[in-house]
Amino acid sequence: MKRLFLYILIFSSFFLGAQVTEADFVVKDRVLIKYRGVARDVVIPPKLGINRIGERAFAGSSINSVVIPMGVGYVDQRAFMGCSFLKKVTLPNTLITLGQRAFFNCYMLENINIPRSLVAIEDGVFYNCRSLKEIDIPDTLKKLGSRAFSGCLGMEKISLSRRTELGTHPFMGVPCDIIYRD
């Protein structure tokens, strides 16, 4: 009976649109440890008071979009790795670092804003994000890690500052030219 209820809950959430509640998140010491909800469009409630998205918190989930609230400074490694349906991410203006492979193999990711507060994009953050078309990296970014955008086969435009420290082959396999603003 429990299994039937779970199947009905999952089925209805996909077709009727599930709502996100605070109970959908596991939080410990202001770190979002795990998303366990079924909603596809996720707005993380600011009431949670988190300052970090933990390692693998959303990894492999079937979300379509996510809005990360103000106050979050870090997205840890592999936080959204393998979210195959993820298309849009809204990052807050408080974000400082995107950890290694944070969005690795998010094949359908089309839209992500890079806030001016961001200082570091670590190694492989957007590796194999094949649907990304355009990225405008702010002048405030100090470090762009190795293979950060490698395998982004749909990329049409990348702009950044020459002052940004680049890791090894950050744009390997990217089919477009890089535009330097300075």
Side-chain angles (χ1 to χ4, degrees):
M1 191 59 137
K2 284 183 183 179
R3 199 173 263 175
L4 176 62
F5 177 74
L6 181 61
Y7 289 135
I8 291 170
L9 179 65
I10 291 170
F11 178 80
S12 65
S13 71
F14 281 113
F15 294 102
L16 301 177
Q19 297 296 314
V20 175
T21 68
E22 290 180 34
D24 292 334
F25 303 94
V26 177
V27 176
K28 182 178 181 186
D29 298 326
R30 299 189 64 203
V31 177
L32 194 158
I33 303 292
K34 185 72 180 158
Y35 172 67
R36 59 182 178 197
V38 293
R40 307 272 318 245
D41 296 307
V42 177
V43 176
I44 301 171
K47 287 192 243 178
L48 294 176
I50 61 170
N51 62 11
R52 180 178 223 112
I53 306 291
E55 184 174 346
R56 298 180 186 264
F58 287 84
S61 70
S62 59
I63 61 173
N64 287 333
S65 66
V66 64
V67 176
I68 299 173
M70 291 294 285
V72 172
Y74 302 91
V75 173
D76 286 350
Q77 63 184 358
R78 298 177 178 91
F80 293 90
M81 180 177 79
C83 289
S84 301
F85 302 104
L86 183 61
K87 289 184 177 183
K88 183 177 181 182
V89 176
T90 305
L91 300 173
N93 290 328
T94 53
L95 192 67
I96 297 167
T97 301
L98 288 173
Q100 291 182 2
R101 298 181 178 187
F103 296 97
F104 179 81
N105 283 346
C106 291
Y107 304 116
M108 295 181 72
L109 184 61
E110 297 172 350
N111 190 318
I112 187 164
N113 65 305
I114 306 294
R116 295 191 57 74
S117 60
L118 196 63
V119 174
I121 294 176
E122 299 292 343
D123 299 346
V125 169
F126 297 104
Y127 197 104
N128 279 341
C129 291
R130 298 173 184 163
S131 297
L132 272 177
K133 298 217 180 303
E134 186 174 319
I135 288 290
D136 182 19
I137 299 170
D139 297 344
T140 53
L141 189 79
K142 293 182 177 155
K143 177 187 175 192
L144 182 62
S146 297
R147 300 181 181 193
F149 289 95
S150 292
C152 293
L153 303 175
M155 193 69 75
E156 296 171 358
K157 180 182 175 188
I158 297 173
S159 62
L160 75 152
S161 169
R162 290 188 193 277
R163 294 183 301 247
T164 301
E165 176 189 327
L166 302 179
T168 309
H169 308 295
F171 306 110
M172 188 171 75
V174 174
C176 71
D177 293 327
I178 289 114
I179 300 166
Y180 291 99
R181 290 188 297 271
D182 49 15

